[in-house]
Amino acid sequence: MNVNQSAPPVPPYGQPQPVYPGYHQSSYGGQPGSTAPPNTYGVYNGPVPGYQQTPPPGVSRAPPSSGVPPASTAQVPCGQGAYGQFGQGDVQNGPSSTVQMQRLPGSQPFGSAPLAPVVSQPAVLQPYGPPPTSAQVTAQLAGMQISGSVTPAPPPSGLGYGPPASLAPASGSFPNAGLYGSCPQGQAPPLSQAQGHSGAQPPQRSAPQQASSFTPQASGGPRMPSMTGPLLPGQSFGGPPVNQPNHVSSPPPPQAPHPGTQMAGPPGPPPPMHSSQQQGYQLQQNGSFGPARGPQPNYGSPYPGAPAFGSQPGPPQSLPPKRLDPDAIPSPQLNELPPQQKTRHRIDPDAIPSPIQVIEDDRNNRGSEPFVTGVRGQVPPLVTTNFLVKDQGNASPRYIRCTSYNIPCTSDMAKQAQVPLAAVIKPLARLPPEEASPYLVDHGESGPLRCNRCKAYMCPFMQFVEGGRRFQCCFCSCINDVPPQYFQHLDHTGKRVDAYDRPELSLGSYEFLATVDYCKNNKFPSPPAFIFMIDVSYNAIRSGLVRLLCEELKSLLDFLPREGGAEESAIRVGFVTYNKVLHFYNVKSSLAQPQMMVVSDVADMFVPLLDGFLVNVNESRAVIISLLDQIPEMFADTRETETVFAPVIQAGMEALKTLFQPQTGAYQALAKECVAQGCCVDLFLFPNQYVDVATLSVVPQLTGGSVYKYTCFQVENDQERFMSDLRRDVEKVVGFDAVMRVRTSTGIRAVDFFGAFYMSNTTDVELAGLDGEKTVTVEFKHDDRLNEESGALLQCALLYTSCAGQRRLRIHNLALNCCTQLADLYRNCETDTLINYMAKFAYRGVLNSPVKTVRDTLITQCAQILACYRKNCASPSSAGQLILPECMKLLPVYLNCVLKSDVLQPGAEVTTDDRAYVRQLVTSMDVAETNVFFYPRLLPLTKSPIESTTEPPAIRASEERLSNGDIYLLENGLNLFIWVGAGVQQGVVQSLFSVSSFSQITSGVSILPVLDNPLSKKVRGLIDSLRAQRSRYMKLIVVKQEDKLEMLFKHFLVEDKSLSGGASYVDFLCHMHKEIRQLLS
């Protein structure tokens, strides 16, 4: 499985950072890096020298009838950091005491890295004041901050954001810090990981055709021609109309949109750059799209007439959409720029679409009303909005989200638009307490009613005919007889009179109790089992991991998943320990002490006992407790460092299967066998060196299990994270031995699937285990023409065994609109789901193609989507303008985050294991998790009032938004950082860290002291609530400004240039614009 490809050339928009004199870059694994920036794509060098295959332990989880193994722990030797640990090395990262550090510009020209460092203007934060005069608005829209009298504010003291007089080398050593964890100095770094939910999201609306437009320029290039002629003296640009929230500037109104119209006519010269009276805006705190902006969310001082960017627009406006003229983007004044920058045209980051503003607007506009699913093809609120769902015939967006809710009628139209048609399905999604779980319908021995031809299940879209005696299938149009026991009369509208009494006729999601025909070998399954397989090799014993795990398991066994109101769990448990041999334990309730049996021939795996291996926890509690007390003592003096891996899973599967078969050898074949027996494997890795995660994760990946990774595990630092992950893993509700099929109405079909599962044919997704966090992503293609009137239907059917051993069918139905106009497609897209699909598509692509090819494919597809919109849906306008569809205006910023991710553009410090780990994590993520993973949330902790109980409003993920007098919290679902500015008030430092000054704060610490003051309680409460939202425990890392760990924190400021060569948001937008123009010309 090739995870790291050879190094292709740097992409045109990804510039390496300028190399500062004396700036020695460490490659966080402990080896010194070269002075030149790392190549954009890491070369795969194979395993590190001296690599031993040190397999880890696994949790095997089983289906009913088959039984199951869960959590196991494995520990391996220390060396390369895991996702992400870094070894020690020297990095010059902070300024020396006398010279300010020079800040990298947020935007650099494509194609050339500046030789001399370029200094950008300090960002001046301006509080909201009175509404602007029309003169101010027009001046800003003319593209420059125009008054000659404005002087830049001095940079805040202690921050190297302003232009320095000179740049001196600084020195400092880099402590162990990892992209995803950190360790105390002098020790190997432990890994911290957690999986994500909810975050920044874009809008998708059904609305009059709208577009966001602005004019980025590739810095330093020629100015783009304008549609309008030169402005006469005294003439000004008009401000943006308040009722057109998506345009930032306005040249003379163009004609109404003509699909397919292209630019014609000679362009005039660019607008004038100077005016003596008017003054432009300064940067504002929370950049949004356009100058006439709403208030910074939750920061008071309302701003009259603010446009609402994410809102569901009202009826079509009479005014034609207005466009931003070439260069009409606020920029620093020429006379304010330092000499190196006077020739460049810098785009104001506040004038380009802001994820934060879009998320805030959607929350304000759609968070208060319940989302009622009765209407076909409705675009749901964003995943970042808290909303209630009322099921009235279509599945909740918590179960299914689509890339578009209005799909093209023909394949030609779909090819033209290039918008992927996909659904992200989360069949067992957990619902908030206010929403009811799907109803369980029992049709007795006859089982659920289905279409005779296509086997689709009864749903609200089936049409009853002939007085209710027959029904027409909505998927294949076959006419079927209604069984006598299911017959009911129809009302005057043709609906059954009992429609609202039957969940399958009135709801989008429901469950059927399956009959024996739906069970393996026509036998009802027995309850599932968990087998805990524990690594007892030298490293696991020495680190304290085995003792910790055995103590935790004593209490954990009371929290096994149970059905509804059941008093105790039906799940049985078994225990195996292993190093280079396997030890099975008989814990039968009648025994006084547990008995051990050893299997030393791992090449010929079998289970030495059947009776007494899998037991009920309550019946055998005393014997289990005795065993867990004895295991750490039994192996306390072990010197065995070698461990086996495949035979461990093999043994777990054999125990569940209770049949002897020879060892299969390859992981692929082993995984296939596990799926056939309904055995799901969860794997907990504790590597201290390279362990080949890509290979070890094959079995969990194909069986629907999870992988958890704790690099250089240390009990004192990582105990809480491991315990929390293990607890959640054991407690979560799981469907066992599952098969999922997606049916569609005539015209489209499912062609591709992404996720953690196995497929033995082209239609059935087989999952040995499926929990409430896992998703399956399905892509659809046309195989016939669709009908605008009837729309398109999806039905997802999941056959699974519940925790109590009951065989069930869960059904989700969704109806989509179909369109013959491209404008309708672009109006009903969901950018977050699109990014989720594109990331999974790309992450699978790197296994078989060079990374550069995968990246170029993503960029080309995005450019084609936006160019098709520009050509066919937008009003004619200057080629110098970038025009984005309203509900896709965040596509460039989110796509750039995917392109800069560790899998597609790893820095020197990202190991092969790290990439493989992240790749398999993202494969099963839902839309909320990928949203916050690719665009992390950055929350100011000290800006909102201490007494406020709500979460502080997020700000954009860019260094320009940080103030050295504040403290910020950043989370992406796997990592949690607190960044402390050097100028934070002493009282705040005392309240939060219990030390008297900034210099006394320990960088890299992962626990905040428990202090009895409002600020400490608020911050700790916020951290707890964020952790509760995510499926994995997020380990905290405290980072001080200008400390060595700050580079790690800045890796997550995704709107800025990345050290591994990724473009800034502004630069990538310019690059996308260039690509679109090339396609259009």
Side-chain angles (χ1 to χ4, degrees):
M1 199 181 271
N2 184 3
V3 182
N4 254 332
Q5 306 294 340
S6 58
V10 177
Y13 58 88
Q15 302 308 359
Q17 298 284 38
V19 180
Y20 297 126
Y23 186 92
H24 171 68
Q25 174 142 5
S26 139
S27 46
Y28 304 51
Q31 312 95 336
S34 62
T35 46
N39 199 352
T40 317
Y41 312 110
V43 181
Y44 177 82
N45 291 322
V48 293
Y51 155 63
Q52 282 180 312
Q53 174 88 18
T54 324
V59 177
S60 310
R61 233 178 229 186
S65 80
S66 7
V68 178
S72 107
T73 57
Q75 170 109 350
V76 249
C78 196
Q80 285 286 19
Y83 192 60
Q85 290 337 91
F86 309 112
Q88 292 159 342
D90 277 6
V91 166
Q92 291 181 300
N93 184 25
S96 68
S97 54
T98 54
V99 181
Q100 283 187 322
M101 177 71 179
Q102 177 160 352
R103 187 164 173 282
L104 295 175
S107 146
Q108 297 203 358
F110 297 114
S112 62
L115 297 174
V118 180
V119 182
S120 66
Q121 282 298 103
V124 182
L125 301 182
Q126 177 177 347
Y128 289 90
T133 63
S134 64
Q136 284 175 310
V137 174
T138 54
Q140 171 154 11
L141 294 173
M144 297 285 163
Q145 293 181 337
I146 290 170
S147 151
S149 59
V150 182
T151 54
S157 63
L159 265 175
Y161 291 0
S166 67
L167 187 69
S171 68
S173 72
F174 202 98
N176 285 321
L179 268 177
Y180 301 88
S182 66
C183 321
Q185 296 212 21
Q187 296 180 353
L191 166 74
S192 107
Q193 282 306 10
Q195 194 159 315
H197 258 329
S198 112
Q201 269 340 76
Q204 40 301 127
R205 315 287 62 119
S206 63
Q209 191 52 38
Q210 296 192 350
S212 305
S213 82
F214 43 90
T215 316
Q217 267 251 184
S219 330
R223 306 175 71 88
M224 294 160 192
S226 149
M227 283 288 283
T228 55
L231 287 179
L232 301 173
Q235 185 179 356
S236 70
F237 279 60
V242 173
N243 58 356
Q244 273 307 111
N246 47 336
H247 298 300
V248 187
S249 90
S250 47
Q255 309 91 355
H258 297 298
T261 310
Q262 293 215 262
M263 303 308 322
M273 293 171 54
H274 301 319
S275 150
S276 52
Q277 272 100 21
Q278 299 144 333
Q279 184 172 327
Y281 287 9
Q282 307 273 354
L283 281 179
Q284 297 183 16
Q285 226 169 349
N286 178 4
S288 78
F289 186 18
R293 259 180 48 224
Q296 165 81 335
N298 302 3
Y299 287 136
S301 164
Y303 198 82
F309 294 114
S311 59
Q312 185 97 17
Q317 313 289 353
S318 54
L319 273 169
K322 307 222 173 173
R323 300 281 184 274
L324 183 62
D325 246 1
D327 294 326
I329 292 181
S331 294
Q333 293 173 220
L334 280 188
N335 58 2
E336 285 180 13
L337 296 175
Q340 309 100 296
Q341 217 179 338
K342 282 207 177 168
T343 57
R344 299 182 51 230
H345 177 87
R346 199 161 166 227
I347 292 173
D348 175 6
D350 278 351
I352 56 181
S354 158
I356 304 304
Q357 191 67 46
V358 168
I359 289 165
E360 196 60 37
D361 290 336
D362 192 78
R363 280 183 182 152
N364 294 338
N365 292 311
R366 307 198 65 186
S368 51
E369 293 295 316
F371 178 69
V372 180
T373 70
V375 181
R376 184 176 84 188
Q378 276 188 110
V379 184
L382 300 183
V383 285
T384 42
T385 299
N386 283 327
F387 59 98
L388 274 182
V389 179
K390 286 192 177 168
D391 186 343
Q392 290 192 0
N394 283 292
S396 159
R398 303 191 205 289
Y399 295 122
I400 306 182
R401 277 187 179 262
C402 295
T403 52
S404 178
Y405 289 80
N406 200 332
I407 60 182
C409 281
T410 65
S411 58
D412 290 345
M413 190 172 157
K415 281 186 193 124
Q416 186 183 1
Q418 287 286 316
V419 176
L421 305 177
V424 179
I425 305 173
K426 198 176 182 183
L428 297 179
R430 292 180 304 174
L431 299 180
E434 310 84 60
E435 294 176 22
S437 295
Y439 287 97
L440 181 60
V441 179
D442 185 0
H443 282 314
E445 287 184 14
S446 62
L449 188 57
R450 308 175 68 175
C451 168
N452 290 329
R453 183 195 290 164
C454 70
K455 303 300 180 192
Y457 293 88
M458 179 54 67
C459 71
F461 310 121
M462 298 288 190
Q463 188 70 42
F464 286 87
V465 293
E466 297 181 23
R469 287 187 296 279
R470 308 177 88 189
F471 71 91
Q472 182 172 20
C473 175
C474 51
F475 293 92
C476 69
S477 305
C478 175
I479 302 283
N480 299 268
D481 291 328
V482 174
Q485 71 273 18
Y486 198 77
F487 172 79
Q488 185 55 270
H489 294 286
L490 308 182
D491 64 13
H492 65 285
T493 64
K495 279 191 92 162
R496 283 172 57 118
V497 295
D498 66 346
Y500 292 106
D501 301 327
R502 291 188 175 271
E504 73 272 23
L505 298 180
S506 56
L507 299 176
S509 300
Y510 43 87
E511 289 197 320
F512 290 122
L513 204 54
T515 58
V516 73
D517 304 332
Y518 290 87
C519 303
K520 274 187 184 165
N521 307 323
N522 283 350
K523 286 196 310 199
F524 281 113
S526 46
F530 282 9
I531 300 177
F532 294 90
M533 318 199 78
I534 304 167
D535 176 356
V536 290
S537 63
Y538 173 73
N539 281 327
I541 294 288
R542 188 199 60 179
S543 68
L545 181 62
V546 174
R547 188 173 297 279
L548 178 70
L549 178 63
C550 290
E551 281 303 313
E552 182 69 11
L553 282 176
K554 293 178 192 174
S555 58
L556 207 54
L557 294 174
D558 289 326
F559 295 97
L560 295 172
R562 63 193 72 185
E563 201 63 50
E567 287 187 17
E568 65 174 56
S569 173
I571 291 176
R572 297 161 299 153
V573 298
F575 299 89
V576 176
T577 56
Y578 68 94
N579 36 48
K580 71 175 180 186
V581 297
L582 278 77
H583 322 100
F584 290 79
Y585 296 92
N586 183 343
V587 284
K588 201 172 179 179
S589 57
S590 57
L591 295 174
Q593 287 291 321
Q595 298 172 344
M596 177 203 282
M597 297 185 187
V598 179
V599 178
S600 53
D601 184 2
V602 292
D604 190 9
M605 182 48 57
F606 70 100
V607 177
L609 75 159
L610 294 178
D611 187 34
F613 178 59
L614 296 178
V615 297
N616 176 289
V617 173
N618 287 337
E619 289 173 8
S620 298
R621 184 177 299 274
V623 191
I624 292 173
I625 298 295
S626 171
L627 171 66
L628 293 173
D629 284 338
Q630 291 177 37
I631 286 175
E633 308 307 327
M634 248 188 297
F635 298 97
D637 300 325
T638 184
R639 287 290 172 265
E640 187 54 69
T641 55
E642 193 182 330
T643 53
V644 292
F645 178 58
V648 176
I649 295 171
Q650 182 87 5
M653 183 185 67
E654 300 295 345
L656 299 173
K657 191 172 76 172
T658 66
L659 286 175
F660 164 74
Q661 278 182 347
Q663 181 179 345
T664 53
Y667 287 135
Q668 255 350 89
L670 180 58
K672 181 179 174 181
E673 181 76 358
C674 285
V675 172
Q677 303 304 327
C679 164
C680 170
V681 179
D682 288 343
L683 184 60
F684 290 75
L685 294 169
F686 303 84
N688 299 333
Q689 63 184 23
Y690 174 76
V691 294
D692 193 4
V693 171
T695 302
L696 296 181
S697 61
V698 166
V699 177
Q701 178 82 3
L702 292 179
T703 59
S706 305
V707 179
Y708 300 84
K709 183 159 160 283
Y710 311 86
T711 302
C712 298
F713 179 85
Q714 294 170 322
V715 170
E716 58 277 13
N717 291 331
D718 302 291
Q719 170 177 345
E720 191 180 358
R721 185 170 147 241
F722 167 54
M723 287 302 146
S724 173
D725 286 344
L726 178 64
R727 208 170 296 127
R728 286 193 201 190
D729 192 74
V730 171
E731 292 175 13
K732 69 189 176 191
V733 174
V734 183
F736 295 101
D737 209 3
V739 181
M740 184 181 113
R741 181 176 282 194
V742 178
R743 293 179 173 85
T744 53
S745 54
T746 310
I748 54 170
R749 62 191 171 90
V751 293
D752 207 354
F753 300 84
F754 303 83
F757 52 76
Y758 176 76
M759 291 187 79
S760 56
N761 57 39
T762 56
T763 54
D764 293 337
V765 174
E766 298 176 48
L767 303 122
L770 176 67
D771 61 60
E773 307 296 341
K774 299 272 192 324
T775 64
V776 176
T777 302
V778 186
E779 186 185 4
F780 303 97
K781 289 265 166 71
H782 287 75
D783 59 6
D784 203 347
R785 188 183 172 87
L786 291 165
N787 184 324
E788 227 175 334
E789 283 179 25
S790 55
L793 301 173
L794 313 179
Q795 184 179 78
C796 164
L798 178 79
L799 174 65
Y800 72 101
T801 304
S802 71
C803 293
Q806 202 175 49
R807 204 69 176 147
R808 293 181 178 181
L809 282 153
R810 179 168 289 201
I811 313 294
H812 299 297
N813 303 289
L814 186 63
L816 303 173
N817 286 330
C818 297
C819 59
T820 53
Q821 298 295 320
L822 284 166
D824 293 325
L825 164 68
Y826 283 101
R827 235 181 242 132
N828 293 280
C829 287
E830 237 251 315
T831 303
D832 297 311
T833 312
L834 205 53
I835 288 294
N836 180 285
Y837 165 82
M838 291 170 107
K840 290 172 182 176
F841 180 81
Y843 279 20
R844 187 176 68 184
V846 297
L847 298 178
N848 307 309
S849 308
V851 178
K852 182 177 189 311
T853 307
V854 174
R855 292 167 52 83
D856 291 347
T857 303
L858 281 184
I859 292 169
T860 304
Q861 183 172 18
C862 180
Q864 285 173 328
I865 291 171
L866 298 176
C868 175
Y869 172 81
R870 172 68 183 263
K871 180 178 175 183
N872 297 292
C873 308
S875 314
S877 56
S878 155
Q881 293 166 341
L882 174 57
I883 300 174
L884 301 174
E886 175 61 21
C887 63
M888 278 191 193
K889 63 186 180 191
L890 299 182
L891 186 59
V893 61
Y894 285 161
L895 183 68
N896 190 35
C897 297
V898 174
L899 293 170
K900 291 201 288 188
S901 64
D902 289 334
V903 174
L904 297 183
Q905 193 166 40
E909 73 286 351
V910 180
T911 66
T912 310
D913 275 353
D914 293 345
R915 294 180 73 197
Y917 180 65
V918 175
R919 203 189 67 75
Q920 64 86 28
L921 270 184
V922 169
T923 305
S924 298
M925 280 187 183
D926 69 6
V927 179
E929 288 171 324
T930 50
N931 175 270
V932 75
F933 178 74
F934 289 115
Y935 193 95
R937 295 166 74 196
L938 185 59
L939 307 172
L941 298 180
T942 45
K943 280 190 181 342
S944 53
I946 288 186
E947 58 278 3
S948 162
T949 53
T950 56
E951 207 173 87
I955 59 172
R956 293 171 70 165
S958 167
E959 195 180 339
E960 288 185 355
R961 311 283 163 178
L962 302 178
S963 151
N964 80 331
D966 288 310
I967 297 176
Y968 298 84
L969 187 143
L970 182 142
E971 65 114 358
N972 75 340
L974 297 181
N975 310 280
L976 200 55
F977 292 93
I978 285 184
W979 182 88
V980 187
V984 173
Q985 292 174 0
Q986 201 173 327
V988 172
V989 171
Q990 183 72 47
S991 299
L992 204 51
F993 300 101
S994 193
V995 295
S996 54
S997 69
F998 173 80
S999 60
Q1000 292 175 300
I1001 299 171
T1002 309
S1003 185
V1005 70
S1006 59
I1007 297 173
L1008 291 179
V1010 178
L1011 304 173
D1012 188 15
N1013 65 68
L1015 180 63
S1016 176
K1017 287 177 182 172
K1018 178 181 173 179
V1019 172
R1020 285 181 290 110
L1022 176 61
I1023 290 172
D1024 289 343
S1025 86
L1026 291 176
R1027 282 174 174 160
Q1029 292 170 29
R1030 307 291 173 219
S1031 60
R1032 299 195 174 208
Y1033 184 88
M1034 297 186 289
K1035 181 178 168 183
L1036 176 69
I1037 300 177
V1038 174
V1039 176
K1040 293 163 67 175
Q1041 184 180 359
E1042 295 180 357
D1043 183 83
K1044 292 132 200 143
L1045 271 176
E1046 196 183 24
M1047 276 174 71
L1048 169 62
F1049 171 77
K1050 287 180 182 175
H1051 176 79
F1052 298 98
L1053 300 178
V1054 289
E1055 288 199 18
D1056 300 337
K1057 228 172 153 50
S1058 71
L1059 283 173
S1060 54
S1064 69
Y1065 175 20
V1066 170
D1067 284 353
F1068 183 70
L1069 206 54
C1070 294
H1071 180 69
M1072 283 310 304
H1073 188 201
K1074 196 172 87 184
E1075 294 279 325
I1076 292 166
R1077 291 180 70 182
Q1078 282 176 349
L1079 286 172
L1080 291 175
S1081 60

